[in-house]
Amino acid sequence: MLRNGLEPWHLIVVALVLIMLFGSKKLPDAARGLGKSMRILKSEARALKADDAAATATATTTATPGDVKPTPAPEAHPHTS
């Protein structure tokens, strides 16, 4: 049914609709803002991965089997009705 979901004429129609909605003067500013947002998002995602990797590395090197205490099983409360 959807063998070629995105044809070239689809892109032309989308571009025309965007130009009609926002005007040709605002589109470059919107694209620039979107690019900046994507760069910020990418750098923040990299920073999160680096922080997680560093936290995992320090947690695995400093933890010993004796450091981890088993958690007690939850107590079963009788249901009162």
Side-chain angles (χ1 to χ4, degrees), residues 5 16 18 39 45 57 66 69-70 72 78:
L16 289 174
L18 287 175
R39 268 182 261 142
K69 296 179 182 172

Side-chain angles (χ1 to χ4, degrees), residues 4-69:
N4 296 327
L6 194 60
E7 297 286 332
W9 67 271
H10 290 129
L11 296 176
I12 293 170
V13 170
V14 169
L16 289 174
V17 168
L18 287 175
I19 290 171
M20 289 175 61
L21 284 175
F22 297 109
S24 61
K25 294 189 185 234
K26 290 190 179 188
L27 283 179
D29 293 335
R32 195 172 302 116
L34 182 65
K36 286 180 184 179
S37 299
M38 292 302 293
R39 268 182 261 142
I40 291 170
L41 180 66
K42 189 185 284 188
S43 67
E44 291 296 323
R46 273 194 219 124
L48 273 175
K49 284 183 182 179
D51 288 346
D52 288 345
T56 303
T58 57
T60 57
T61 58
T62 59
T64 60
D67 290 342
V68 179
K69 296 179 182 172

